[in-house]
């Protein structure tokens, strides 16, 4: 039984709650927080049903319209699932808010590709470490298989890129920390484009390709054998060398 | 001028888009993505105005009701700002979706305190490194001031906790990477409760307090003097020792 009290979040910073301004907007915002507090206080779990919109409205002394808007905001944030006519249910944590928020920041110039890479490298070194501790036998076997496929497929750029993407996502899943998994998912569109570039248009293809293949094999072997230090070092090397060079060449031409 | 094409995100994973099921729900989801694509394709920036709901509906061939729901979902995700009667505007990136998503995962038992700490430690070591590169003179002075206040205030537990929280948040801001800043903000409720416990109820208060104070001073000095390696090492030490002990003692009693 986890200790509950330190997890209680009484006041959530609402500066970013970009809902409607004015009285109704504030009421919807407050209702969003009060429904989130209800989920917390009742210790609801994924799949548990919330009261109907009418019942929530009575409980929170707000109109059904306000409840409906608040529930929709919570659905957009991945906190509840709603269906036609069904009562809302507590949702499984989702990468969706992370994906949307990061895509927005990137596309509107509020974060650079280099900054996402900074975040990605520190997170992936950690997921490699955790995967060495937590990976299942099936995951270990799949990682090794993917690394060997990379070795055998060096002439097929698209296949290489797809394998590399699966490789990194599998490590995040094997880390068993959903925050890392969701963050990695939010990097995916950028990783995909960088990965396809990497296997496609590098200037000294054979050398660098072979080094990349070797590094992935080293990462897979370290994770499969539970060597957390080896996994972290190999992943760090991957980011320091291959991808560091790539990002400088492709995203930040001087 | 950044290269735009690798940032284009054509297909966003919608598995987590917990909106209404059924035809209308799907239409709202699609509209969410199409409005996000509009912001991207028109290369809009923060504060730029979107077309009115009516004009967006005509452009995307959906009803005004569908547009309104999609815009509200985008507002909940921190992607647009909407006001009474005003046209929606592109929003500044916000910590809000991260805060809500992580609070939800924590409160519904989908992520543990230890797992958030895993993420926090790797992110804070990186923010310390980046802060050593990017901090302003004002930020450097404030960090040193906060560290000295910690030294002078050792008998006041609440004041210590508040100073420590400001200290870590300032480092995230000084890193100049908004993803780190928003992630740290999403950890804030947990940090706050852990920090208050740390200064309040540790068993061997004086020794550990003095060590914590020393580590914070070392972090501040390293960041102020632009010593990225020193900043990273001191922050790593902070997490390995003081907080590692704390989290084991308070959150995972055996």
């Amino acid at each position: 039984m986890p200790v509950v009290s330190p997890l209680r979040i009484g006041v959530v910073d609402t500066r970013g709650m970009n809902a409607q301004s004015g009285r109704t907007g504030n009421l919807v915002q407050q209702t969003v927080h009060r429904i989130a507090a209800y989920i917390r206080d009742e210790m609801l779990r994924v799949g548990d049903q919330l009261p109907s919109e009418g019942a929530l409205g009575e409980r929170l002394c707000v109109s059904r319209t306000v409840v409906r808007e608040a529930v929709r905001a919570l659905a957009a944030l991945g906190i509840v699932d709603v269906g036609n006519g069904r009562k809302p249910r507590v949702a499984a944590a989702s990468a969706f808010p992370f994906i949307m928020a990061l895509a927005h920041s990137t596309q509107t110039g509020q974060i650079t590709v280099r900054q996402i890479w900074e975040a990605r490298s520190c997170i992936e070194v950690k997921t490699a470490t955790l995967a060495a501790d937590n990976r299942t036998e099936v995951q270990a076997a799949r990682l090794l298989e993917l690394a060997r496929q990379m070795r055998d497929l060096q002439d097929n750029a698209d296949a290489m890129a797809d394998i590399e993407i699966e490789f990194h996502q599998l490590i995040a899943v094997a880390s068993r920390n959903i925050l890392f998994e969701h963050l990695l998912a939010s990097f995916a569109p950028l990783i995909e484009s960088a990965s396809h570039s990497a296997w496609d248009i590098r200037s000294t293809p054979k050398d660098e390709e072979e080094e990349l293949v070797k590094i992935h094999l080293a990462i897979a072997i370290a994770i499969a054998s539970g060597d957390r230090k080896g996994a972290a070092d190999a992943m760090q090397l991957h980011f320091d060398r291959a991808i560091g060079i790539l990002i400088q060449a492709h995203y930040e031409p001087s």
Side-chain angles (χ1 to χ4, degrees), chain A residues 2 80 110 139 154 156 176 195 224:
Chain A
V80 302
Q110 299 182 73
Q139 288 165 340
Q154 280 185 58
N156 186 337
R176 293 218 204 135
S195 187

Side-chain angles (χ1 to χ4, degrees), chain A residues 185-226:
Chain A
S186 76
F187 304 150
L190 284 167
I191 293 174
E192 205 154 322
S193 106
S195 187
H196 279 279
S197 311
W199 299 108
D200 219 20
I201 48 171
R202 50 186 52 240
S203 47
T204 50
K206 276 297 158 206
D207 284 13
E208 289 188 21
E209 265 190 33
E210 273 165 25
E211 188 180 339
L212 261 180
V213 167
K214 269 188 206 158
I215 290 178
H216 283 88
L217 200 56
I219 294 169
I221 291 170
I223 290 174
S225 56

Side-chain angles (χ1 to χ4, degrees), chain A residues 42-50 81 87-91:
Chain A
E42 299 291 319
M43 301 181 73
L44 300 186
R45 289 293 177 262
V46 175
D48 286 351
Q49 214 169 50
L50 270 72
D81 285 319
K87 289 177 185 165
R89 285 176 185 275
V90 176

Side-chain angles (χ1 to χ4, degrees), chain A residues 101-111:
Chain A
L102 199 63
H104 175 68
S105 296
T106 311
Q107 290 163 358
T108 53
Q110 299 182 73
I111 190 167

Side-chain angles (χ1 to χ4, degrees), chain A residues 2 4 9 15 38 41 54 57 62 69 78 81 84 86 148 164 171-172 176 182 221 224-226:
Chain A
V4 172
I9 297 174
R15 280 172 302 176
Y38 174 88
D41 294 340
V62 292
E69 280 202 34
D81 285 319
N84 292 326
R86 281 203 296 106
R148 288 189 198 112
E164 192 188 0
I171 292 172
R176 293 218 204 135
H182 293 169
I221 291 170
S225 56

Side-chain angles (χ1 to χ4, degrees), chain A residues 136-213:
Chain A
T136 64
E137 290 303 316
V138 172
Q139 288 165 340
R142 180 69 184 149
L143 278 176
L144 289 166
E145 187 186 356
L146 288 168
R148 288 189 198 112
Q149 282 179 6
M150 288 176 86
R151 187 189 56 198
D152 300 337
L153 274 171
Q154 280 185 58
D155 289 331
N156 186 337
D158 279 344
M160 285 296 258
D162 289 344
I163 292 169
E164 192 188 0
I165 291 160
E166 185 185 340
F167 185 89
H168 287 275
Q169 281 172 341
L170 180 55
I171 292 172
V173 173
S175 80
R176 293 218 204 135
N177 183 322
I178 55 160
L179 179 58
F180 287 130
E181 199 183 315
H182 293 169
L183 284 170
L184 201 76
S186 76
F187 304 150
L190 284 167
I191 293 174
E192 205 154 322
S193 106
S195 187
H196 279 279
S197 311
W199 299 108
D200 219 20
I201 48 171
R202 50 186 52 240
S203 47
T204 50
K206 276 297 158 206
D207 284 13
E208 289 188 21
E209 265 190 33
E210 273 165 25
E211 188 180 339
L212 261 180
V213 167

